[in-house]
């Protein structure tokens, strides 16, 4: 008996079917059967299913003699299911990597509940969307099981069949099957949810829910949408037979009315000519099923609509809705005017303070779009506090990042009056990204641009030749902002050349090295031990840091190149896998696609939010990356680097690269997961060849990294010292220098 039966109803989806089935058959957890139901599809879907069944014994195909629709096709598959749990997957959607393993693990830890609910992401024809509205509910569910009677808010989870794993014996015991017609998910979902004694949640995106540009029945206007009433009548007929579920009637009435009013408001479902009839059907349903004890409508506009159902005809409802829309439009206009007035007042405030003299003892810092104290600006800030204490440092930090600031850090929030005052008076501006264009550079101020690492991929003006990569970027505006830089810091001659090419502006290049990397130069094992303790890494483990970068050939930037659970398992006992996403992906769907779940289960350690990437590097023994600039920093530790370049051609073509990292790598290169796993299984990742490649890479790209970059910047630019001793010492042939040897000997 398999653990899972995955039922895939198929109709007219030959263009999507391969992706759907491959996403299931390629799962790392393999104890399942696929029951594909050919609903008399008129295209080539049936033949595709037969091909898969011939290749993989886990696939069984049912060819129905006639078209019966989605609901009854699911029922047909359910009759043949043998698994402990049943999952449904629509044939134009697909699973995310690692889903079934995560579901199996969650079922085990929760003792086989009646239902397990997981998340989804909408994948539009132009790109992937964000987390679903259910994400917060799933995250708040916690590790325990519950019933809807205990937590009625979980009836608000997305109303579909394919975001759940049902215990098959539970479905059979309650004779849960799908009725024909549209909105067939509603009665089964709500019946199962109120009947279940134990429900569990998995805060993980399991399904890429395809939003087809055309062909989706639910987004085709017509009278078929009136079938929603028949579906809900079936649900309430069931409730009439179950007095023990009277507690659920008000909850389900609210959900039903909410669903109906949602459909009424959709122009792609109910035609204008049919809206009066549709509204009257909602009113009739409301009258028939209103509980004798009354009904408490929810707060907000939906509650207003439900109260109107008791007395208002369609004309009155339409008038109220029209007034609401008009009022919302007016309020939006008022807010726009208010924002414009506020912006004008703040600019006036800035210009007023800009008439005052610059404060020679004031420096303003920002890092990574005001996300906190980190990177090169943080290293310069700390060094200035040590050797130039008369210069007061103030950080620009977003409101949502203020609570994470270290104690005693002076800060302002972007857009505030205090922010504009500080920006107008500061002599020193230190940032690793550009300042807003609304801030004018004052004569005498010193703008220091630190960048965010040694460049591998195209930047600045070079993006003009890569239209896909510069999507959303205004390159001329970027260069106008870069015209305010006075100094650009470089870690090596390669970086110096690239910055001058990519930003043809007025700055002076400084061969200082990267201040944030000072802690890496000459770092010993003691710093690594301390960092591991802070990150909770077991003592004695070999620590692998995986740091992927974003992709410009995929809207949103996130592409799963490695099955993290499989990689962690293949590394084996005695290894800890740290994962650090690119900062631009930290707030998107990437974590929901599996990383957060694996972190909670202890399979990997998510260090994306660790404020200092230098600490993460110190805690690790080896870096696995694709094309992240982190490799240029990591080689300063003289620890192995593995470049996983399985999509190098696509990456280089879409973004552009200054270096062919597959030919000029800091370590061994893998071009498939099989090669990556072999490098670690064989120990090749840390052989003599890896050391030779790392040493040569460091000599080519890190000439100015000697551990004294932060001090050099402060002395040169804030204290005005011009001693020749401030220049970085030349590196020896083995990549070391006098300062490095001195630091290493501490």
């Amino acid at each position: 008996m398999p653990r899972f039966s995955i039922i895939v109803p198929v109709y007219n989806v030959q263009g999507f079917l391969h992706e759907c089935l491959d996403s299931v058959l390629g799962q790392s957890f393999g104890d399942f059967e696929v029951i594909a139901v050919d609903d008399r599809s008129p295209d080539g879907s049936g033949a595709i299913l037969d091909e898969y069944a011939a290749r993989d014994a886990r696939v069984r195909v049912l060819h129905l003699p006639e078209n019966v629709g989605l609901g009854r096709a699911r029922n047909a598959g359910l009759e043949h299911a043998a698994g402990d749990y049943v999952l449904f997957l629509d044939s134009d959607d697909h699973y995310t990597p690692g889903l079934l393993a995560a579901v199996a693990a969650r079922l085990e830890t929760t003792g086989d509940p009646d239902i397990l609910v997981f998340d989804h992401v909408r994948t539009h024809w132009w790109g992937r969307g964000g987390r679903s509205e259910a994400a917060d509910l799933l995250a708040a569910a916690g590790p325990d099981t519950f019933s809807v009677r205990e937590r009625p808010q979980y009836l608000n989870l997305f109303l579909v069949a394919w975001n759940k794993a049902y215990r098959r014996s539970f479905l059979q015991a309650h004779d849960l099957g799908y009725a024909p017609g549209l909105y067939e998910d509603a009665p089964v979902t709500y019946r199962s949810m109120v009947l279940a004694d134990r429900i569990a949640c998995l805060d993980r995106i399991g399904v890429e829910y395809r939003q087809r540009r055309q062909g989706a029945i639910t987004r085709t206007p017509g009278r078929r949408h009136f079938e929603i009433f028949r579906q809900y009548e079936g649900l309430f007929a069931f409730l009439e037979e179950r007095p023990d579920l009277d507690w659920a009637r008000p909850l389900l009435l609210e959900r039903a009315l909410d669903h109906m009013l949602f459909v009424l408001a959709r122009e792609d479902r109910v035609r204008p000519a049919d809206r009066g009839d549709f509204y009257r059907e909602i009113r009739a349903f409301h009258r028939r099923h209103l509980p004798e004890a009354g009904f408490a409508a929810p707060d907000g506009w939906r509650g207003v609509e439900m109260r109107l159902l008791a007395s208002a005809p369609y004309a009155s409802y339409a008038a109220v809705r029209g007034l609401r829309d008009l009022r919302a439009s007016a309020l939006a206009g008022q807010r726009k005017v208010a924002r414009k007035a506020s912006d004008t007042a703040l600019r006036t405030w800035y210009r007023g303070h800009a008439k005052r003299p610059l404060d020679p003892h004031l420096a303003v810092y920002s890092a990574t779009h005001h996300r906190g104290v980190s990177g090169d600006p943080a290293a310069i800030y700390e060094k200035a506090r040590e050797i130039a204490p008369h210069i007061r440092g103030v950080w620009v930090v977003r409101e949502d990042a203020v609570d994470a600031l270290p104690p005693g850090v002076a800060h302002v929030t972007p857009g505030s009056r205090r922010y504009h005052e500080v920006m107008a008076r500061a002599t020193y501006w230190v940032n690793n990204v550009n300042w807003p264009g609304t801030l004018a550079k004052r004569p005498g101020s010193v703008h220091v641009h630190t960048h965010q690492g040694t460049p591998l991929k195209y930047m600045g003006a070079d993006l003009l030749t890569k239209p896909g990569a510069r999507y959303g970027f205004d390159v001329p505006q970027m260069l106008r902002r870069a015209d305010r830089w006075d100094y650009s810091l470089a870690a090596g001659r390669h970086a110096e050349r690239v910055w001058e090419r990519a930003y043809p502006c007025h700055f002076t290049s400084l061969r200082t090295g990267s201040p944030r990397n000072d802690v890496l130069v000459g770092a010993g094992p003691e710093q690594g031990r301390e960092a591991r303790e802070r990150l909770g890494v077991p003592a004695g483990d070999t620590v692998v840091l995986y740091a992927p970068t974003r992709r410009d050939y995929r809207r949103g930037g996130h592409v799963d190149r490695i099955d993290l659970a499989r990689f962690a398992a293949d590394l084996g006992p005695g290894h800890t896998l740290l994962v650090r996403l690119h900062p631009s992906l930290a707030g998107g769907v990437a974590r929901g696609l599996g990383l957060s779940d694996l972190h909670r289960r202890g399979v990997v350690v998510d260090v994306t939010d660790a404020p200092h990437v230098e600490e993460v590097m110190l805690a690790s023994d080896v870096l696995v990356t694709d094309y992240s600039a982190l490799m240029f920093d990591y080689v300063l530790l003289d620890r192995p680097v593995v470049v996983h370049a399985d999509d190098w051609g696509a990456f280089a073509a879409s973004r552009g690269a200054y270096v062919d990292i597959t030919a000029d790598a800091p370590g061994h290169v893998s071009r498939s997961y099989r090669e990556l796993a072999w490098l670690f299984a064989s120990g090749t990742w840390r052989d003599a060849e890896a050391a030779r490649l790392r040493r040569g890479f460091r000599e080519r790209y890190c000439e100015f990294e000697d551990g004294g970059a932060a001090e050099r910047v402060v002395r040169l630019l804030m204290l005005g010292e011009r001693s020749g001793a401030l220049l970085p010492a030349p590196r020896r042939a083995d990549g070391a220098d006098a300062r490095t040897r001195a630091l290493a000997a501490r």
Side-chain angles (χ1 to χ4, degrees), residues 543-556:
V543 181
V544 180
L545 170 60
Y546 176 52
T549 193
R550 64 177 292 118
R551 301 308 201 268
D552 292 286
Y553 60 75
R554 176 74 177 263
R555 183 162 181 168

Side-chain angles (χ1 to χ4, degrees), residues 417-435:
R417 298 186 75 176
R418 177 62 180 155
Y419 161 81
H420 283 86
E421 180 180 344
V422 166
M423 300 307 294
R425 298 291 314 283
T427 294
Y428 306 101
W429 292 23
V430 183
N431 202 344
N432 61 9
V433 295
N434 262 321
W435 296 99

Side-chain angles (χ1 to χ4, degrees), residues 190-442:
Y190 286 138
R191 281 177 64 188
S192 64
M193 292 292 280
V194 299
L195 287 168
D197 294 321
R198 299 174 63 245
I199 300 170
C201 291
L202 173 62
D203 181 20
R204 178 189 178 116
I205 294 171
V207 174
E208 296 252 11
Y209 175 33
R210 190 185 302 278
Q211 306 294 284
R212 292 162 66 178
R213 188 170 183 267
Q214 60 181 5
I217 298 175
T218 54
R219 286 186 294 279
T220 303
R223 297 287 295 190
R224 286 199 62 186
H225 292 281
F226 282 74
E227 293 175 10
I228 191 173
F229 301 109
R230 177 167 52 81
Q231 298 286 7
Y232 278 107
E233 287 294 351
L235 173 63
F236 276 78
F238 158 75
L239 291 174
E240 290 291 341
E241 300 172 356
R242 296 291 301 264
D244 58 312
L245 296 177
D246 282 348
W247 60 269
R249 290 177 65 89
L251 299 173
L252 293 177
L253 178 60
E254 187 274 334
R255 289 287 80 209
L257 295 176
D258 179 85
H259 194 182
M260 294 169 185
L261 289 165
F262 168 81
V263 173
L264 173 62
R266 292 288 297 266
E267 295 181 358
D268 57 354
R269 300 197 186 190
V270 182
R271 296 189 183 101
D274 294 330
R275 287 182 190 158
D277 289 345
F278 198 93
Y279 179 78
R280 284 185 283 274
E281 290 284 353
I282 301 176
R283 290 193 69 194
F285 183 91
H286 176 261
R287 284 194 302 271
R288 283 193 297 274
H289 300 294
L290 192 66
E292 292 182 3
F295 172 68
D299 296 331
W301 166 246
R302 189 65 90 213
V304 172
E305 287 184 293
M306 291 183 187
R307 286 187 286 272
L308 286 172
L309 292 171
S311 58
Y314 177 68
S316 300
Y317 166 82
V320 171
R321 184 173 183 89
L323 287 173
R324 170 187 175 269
D325 293 343
L326 185 63
R327 182 172 180 270
S329 179
L331 288 174
Q334 292 173 10
R335 286 193 292 269
K336 185 176 180 180
V337 170
R339 282 197 303 269
K340 186 174 181 180
S342 176
D343 291 344
T344 300
L346 289 171
R347 284 196 295 269
T348 302
W349 180 261
Y350 178 81
R351 287 195 295 268
H353 281 280
K355 295 177 182 178
R356 299 170 60 189
L358 289 170
D359 183 343
H361 300 146
L362 177 60
V364 64
Y365 298 88
S366 179
T368 321
H369 305 288
H370 314 318
R371 290 195 177 107
V373 178
S374 64
D376 291 308
I380 296 170
Y381 166 76
E382 291 295 341
K383 184 57 66 173
R385 292 179 66 185
E386 175 189 338
I387 65 175
H390 61 286
I391 296 179
R392 182 168 57 96
V394 178
W395 280 84
V396 180
V397 181
R398 301 183 322 197
E399 286 190 22
D400 60 357
V402 167
D403 291 342
L405 287 177
V409 173
H411 67 277
V412 293
T413 55
S416 65
R417 298 186 75 176
R418 177 62 180 155
Y419 161 81
H420 283 86
E421 180 180 344
V422 166
M423 300 307 294
R425 298 291 314 283
T427 294
Y428 306 101
W429 292 23
V430 183
N431 202 344
N432 61 9
V433 295
N434 262 321
W435 296 99
T438 55
L439 300 174
K441 176 174 171 29
R442 295 186 60 186

Side-chain angles (χ1 to χ4, degrees), residues 694-713:
R694 181 169 68 251
R695 183 169 57 251
F697 191 86
R698 188 169 60 241
E699 291 172 359
R700 288 189 295 278
Y701 298 107
C702 307
E703 300 103 312
F704 311 144
E705 301 279 34
D706 63 356
E711 180 175 349
R712 188 171 295 117
V713 171

Side-chain angles (χ1 to χ4, degrees), residues 8 114 309 391 450 696:
V8 184
D114 299 319
L309 292 171
I391 296 179
T450 69

Side-chain angles (χ1 to χ4, degrees), residues 460-661:
D462 289 326
L463 291 176
L464 291 171
T465 65
K466 299 292 179 181
R470 74 168 187 269
Y471 178 80
F473 287 97
D474 184 335
V475 173
Q477 182 185 71
M478 183 191 304
L479 297 182
R480 285 193 294 272
R481 293 179 180 181
D483 278 331
R484 295 173 299 183
W485 304 350
D486 290 299
Y487 298 101
S488 166
L489 308 189
R493 290 180 176 84
H494 162 77
E496 182 180 59
R497 290 191 296 268
V498 169
W499 299 140
E500 292 177 0
R501 163 186 162 145
Y503 298 98
C505 301
H506 308 296
F507 59 81
T508 297
S509 292
L510 288 183
R511 297 179 170 184
T512 56
S514 298
R516 72 186 182 284
N517 287 340
D518 289 347
V519 298
L520 305 180
V521 177
E526 185 58 37
Q527 292 95 324
R529 282 194 294 269
E530 294 172 357
R532 289 181 183 211
E533 290 175 5
R534 288 190 289 271
L535 293 173
V537 174
D541 269 16
T542 297
V543 181
V544 180
L545 170 60
Y546 176 52
T549 193
R550 64 177 292 118
R551 301 308 201 268
D552 292 286
Y553 60 75
R554 176 74 177 263
R555 183 162 181 168
H558 176 72
V559 177
D560 282 314
R561 305 307 309 178
I562 292 177
D563 183 332
L564 296 176
R566 180 182 180 186
F567 188 34
D570 286 345
L571 288 172
H575 291 76
T576 293
L577 178 59
L578 308 182
V579 181
R580 186 176 180 88
L581 298 176
H582 189 275
S584 66
L585 303 176
V589 301
R591 281 169 158 163
L593 289 167
L595 178 56
S596 293
D597 173 59
L598 294 174
H599 176 77
R600 280 191 299 270
R601 288 161 48 200
V603 177
V604 304
V605 180
D606 180 6
V607 292
T608 303
D609 290 335
H612 301 291
V613 69
E614 300 80 30
E615 182 174 86
V616 175
M617 289 191 281
L618 286 167
S620 65
D621 295 300
V622 54
L623 170 68
V624 177
T625 187
D626 35 42
Y627 322 115
S628 170
L630 211 61
M631 68 180 78
F632 293 93
D633 308 329
Y634 197 83
V635 294
L636 297 172
L637 289 169
D638 197 25
R639 299 175 191 174
V641 178
V642 174
V643 176
H644 185 57
D646 65 333
D647 66 339
W648 171 248
F651 179 87
S654 60
R655 178 62 189 237
Y658 297 109
V659 176
D660 181 351
I661 204 62

